Amino acid sequence: MPASWDFTLANYDSVWATLVQIGLLVIALLVGNVLRLYVPLFKKCLVPSALLGGLLLLIINMICKSFDFILVDKHFVQVVTYHTLGIGFAAMTLKTEKQTRKAKRAQIFEFAALQGGTYMLQAFVGLLITIVMFLLTADGGKAISYICGLILPLAFGQGPGNALTWDINFTNTAATGFAGNGSFGLSLASIGFIVACVFGVIYINYYKKRGLTIREPSKEKTLTDQTNPSGNEIPDNESIDKFSVQIGLVALAYAIAFGIMVLLGILSDFTNSIAWGFNFMWAAIGAVMTKATIKLFRKRHWMSREYINNYQMDRISGFAFDLMIVAGVAAIEIKDIRDYILPIIILTAAGSVITYFYIRKTAKNCFKGMEHEFFLMSFGTLTGTASNGMILMKEIDPSLRTPVSSLYVQSTFPAMILVAPLLFFLNFAASSFTNAIIACAVFFVLFVAYTLFLFRRRILKKRYQDKPENVWTEK
């Protein structure tokens, strides 16, 4: 007869530990929101509530450790950070996009090229910095790892989830001599959020003084039922709750992603090396497959209702990314980054400056008529997350009169293709110092190629003219 057990504190690890850790993350998120609402500095700087909550939990956990009490389970919150990235991407991709503003095809590819170019620039500069630091410290007995600079574009461009994943992967690769243990990447990502907020607010205030026009909120008041905007979705009073269906679809997409990762892991050593670090990409592919299946079923009249609700998918992805940020910041171990303080400072400073000037130059030359909205959306996204970019952009375009948000959504897939070389060179660069140098050169060549595409008109002396195909004007 199996041993009996109960729900008391005696069985804390098996019964209560998981829920307590999740509870800590959610409560920290709520407290972070209170701080953002009632502390003027945080509110003015547009600091995300999730970042504040994560920092608060990190500080409390450090205090608890001084009394030999571990409040936050580092392994658990790292797992949460990893999976919420994939879940968030699955929910985002499942949305059925119905654009209210039609974006021009050329601008979609230019937006994608800007994202690809920024990633490659961050990768090139980050890797170059740590290669030089490695060479300068190689004879000192405690060399800086040559690979840690490659985490910069992952932390700035993709947030805590991917920064954590590849920090762990590089730590587990003996050739790198790296011991970030996840905390290095999470630190870069956390600083990236602060950079996005602080630089963004400074930018808005600076250009306000120089005559930046704040687009007034739209006066059109159209009430839409966000739970059933088309009138053809499944009702809320079905035998299964509508939100449960959305959760189920996200779970199905992530299950497909898991299947893809298992298959790649079995095929070969190379495919296994790229399988598990890209859970967000496989989750997006799983979501595309799920969405295509639903579309096919509707076309064959096997389904009569729309099962995907954009509003609820936004809520799922929003919660996943908020939880990812709180967990990612809370998972930082100060002792793991003591030897990397100098690289972190240099990388974040260099990354912030090059990202600012590259996006600013591109916005000014390629997106006339909406350059400030484009800059804020791009800079916020490529140093923090898409939510940072959206928050900053809505400070000057609250009703989304410009097509920047539509451009961002429609450029997601081509941007993933342009960023793919970076992702697939990560393991190659980590395998040896020579390969890291080769990868650094490849990133530079790709950066030049994407930039040439963006500035092709200036290079060919075809300057922008005030024509609809070149300049966005508000109608």
Side-chain angles (χ1 to χ4, degrees):
M1 185 175 177
S4 177
W5 62 280
D6 56 30
F7 301 100
T8 64
L9 196 60
N11 291 301
Y12 174 81
D13 287 340
S14 59
V15 178
W16 288 102
T18 299
L19 281 180
V20 168
Q21 292 298 310
I22 293 174
L24 283 172
L25 297 176
V26 175
I27 291 170
L29 179 60
L30 293 175
V31 175
N33 190 52
V34 172
L35 290 173
R36 189 181 186 277
L37 286 173
Y38 292 102
V39 178
L41 177 63
F42 296 150
K43 189 173 183 179
K44 187 176 181 181
C45 290
L46 306 177
V47 179
S49 301
L51 177 61
L52 292 173
L55 289 171
L56 180 66
L57 195 55
L58 174 64
I59 293 169
I60 293 173
N61 190 46
M62 289 172 60
I63 295 171
C64 290
K65 282 181 179 179
S66 66
F67 294 97
D68 295 324
F69 174 71
I70 306 299
L71 179 67
V72 176
D73 183 335
K74 178 184 174 182
H75 174 73
F76 179 82
V77 292
Q78 286 184 340
V79 170
V80 169
T81 305
Y82 174 79
H83 285 303
T84 46
L85 176 68
I87 291 168
F89 264 82
M92 268 200 324
T93 310
L94 276 169
K95 287 175 58 182
T96 53
E97 296 302 337
K98 295 168 185 160
Q99 300 299 329
T100 56
R101 292 187 178 276
K102 188 176 180 181
K104 298 177 180 65
R105 184 175 298 177
Q107 290 183 327
I108 292 172
F109 287 108
E110 286 172 348
F111 206 156
L114 179 276
Q115 294 178 66
T118 306
Y119 272 98
M120 297 307 161
L121 177 61
Q122 291 173 345
F124 165 68
V125 172
L127 196 51
L128 181 64
I129 287 171
T130 48
I131 284 174
V132 171
M133 294 184 75
F134 172 79
L135 293 173
L136 292 175
T137 58
D139 296 330
K142 207 169 189 180
I144 299 296
S145 173
Y146 61 84
I147 200 64
C148 58
L150 198 48
I151 300 175
L152 176 64
L154 305 175
F156 270 30
Q158 297 186 339
N162 226 17
L164 167 70
T165 301
W166 285 97
D167 184 322
I168 295 294
N169 285 349
F170 292 156
T171 299
N172 292 333
T173 302
T176 64
F178 181 59
N181 295 310
S183 295
F184 181 90
L186 293 173
S187 299
L188 286 180
S190 301
I191 295 171
F193 290 126
I194 297 171
V195 168
C197 299
V198 174
F199 269 58
V201 170
I202 292 173
Y203 181 94
I204 292 170
N205 290 327
Y206 175 76
Y207 280 99
K208 269 184 183 178
K209 293 177 181 177
R210 300 191 66 179
L212 170 64
T213 301
I214 306 298
R215 302 182 193 278
E216 295 298 325
S218 174
K219 294 181 180 179
E220 299 176 8
K221 293 184 179 179
T222 55
L223 297 176
T224 303
D225 180 4
Q226 291 180 312
T227 62
N228 192 2
S230 67
N232 195 37
E233 295 188 7
I234 55 174
D236 288 323
N237 57 354
E238 282 279 1
S239 59
I240 181 173
D241 188 85
K242 187 173 184 176
F243 187 68
S244 301
V245 173
Q246 311 306 307
I247 294 289
L249 292 172
V250 173
L252 175 60
Y254 203 43
I256 293 172
F258 179 70
I260 293 172
M261 289 185 278
V262 170
L263 179 62
L264 290 172
I266 294 171
L267 287 177
S268 69
D269 290 339
F270 172 73
T271 54
N272 181 59
S273 69
I274 65 172
W276 306 100
F278 301 126
N279 68 322
F280 69 97
M281 190 164 67
W282 312 130
I285 292 173
V288 169
M289 294 169 66
T290 303
K291 192 161 60 171
T293 303
I294 292 173
K295 187 176 181 180
L296 176 65
F297 283 6
R298 292 205 66 204
K299 187 176 181 180
R300 296 286 180 88
H301 302 291
W302 297 340
M303 283 183 179
S304 58
R305 297 278 196 174
E306 291 182 10
Y307 278 79
I308 297 174
N309 180 269
N310 286 355
Y311 175 73
Q312 292 183 341
M313 285 298 175
D314 274 335
R315 304 288 68 75
I316 294 171
S317 62
F319 175 69
F321 290 141
D322 281 341
L323 207 61
M324 177 185 73
I325 295 168
V326 176
V329 177
I332 295 172
E333 286 279 0
I334 301 300
K335 63 180 178 62
D336 289 334
I337 61 172
R338 284 173 184 165
D339 294 335
Y340 295 99
I341 296 297
L342 183 60
I344 288 173
I345 293 172
I346 295 174
L347 286 171
T348 51
S352 302
V353 171
I354 60 171
T355 303
Y356 175 88
F357 283 106
Y358 183 62
I359 296 176
R360 178 70 186 118
K361 185 71 173 177
T362 303
K364 189 174 180 180
N365 286 276
C366 301
F367 292 86
K368 290 181 179 289
M370 53 178 173
E371 64 180 86
H372 297 296
E373 291 85 354
F374 175 83
F375 171 84
L376 291 169
M377 181 72 194
S378 301
F379 185 78
T381 300
L382 291 166
T383 52
T385 63
S387 59
N388 290 108
M390 187 64 73
I391 289 169
L392 288 169
M393 187 192 67
K394 290 181 78 171
E395 285 293 305
I396 63 172
D397 185 14
S399 295
L400 305 181
R401 291 176 181 269
T402 61
V404 173
S405 58
S406 293
L407 280 169
Y408 174 74
V409 172
Q410 294 180 60
S411 69
T412 301
F413 184 70
M416 285 180 66
I417 295 174
L418 295 178
V419 174
L422 164 65
L423 303 178
F424 287 106
F425 263 87
L426 292 171
N427 276 316
F428 173 81
S431 59
S432 72
F433 178 68
T434 302
N435 287 353
I437 295 174
I438 295 171
C440 189
V442 170
F443 298 145
F444 178 73
V445 170
L446 289 172
F447 161 69
V448 171
Y450 297 160
T451 304
L452 287 174
F453 171 76
L454 282 167
F455 290 89
R456 65 195 182 282
R457 293 187 183 92
R458 288 181 66 92
I459 294 169
L460 297 173
K461 305 299 182 184
K462 294 180 179 179
R463 296 195 177 273
Y464 279 104
Q465 298 175 356
D466 292 330
K467 294 181 180 180
E469 64 268 21
N470 292 331
V471 182
W472 181 85
T473 54
E474 187 167 0
K475 295 179 180 179

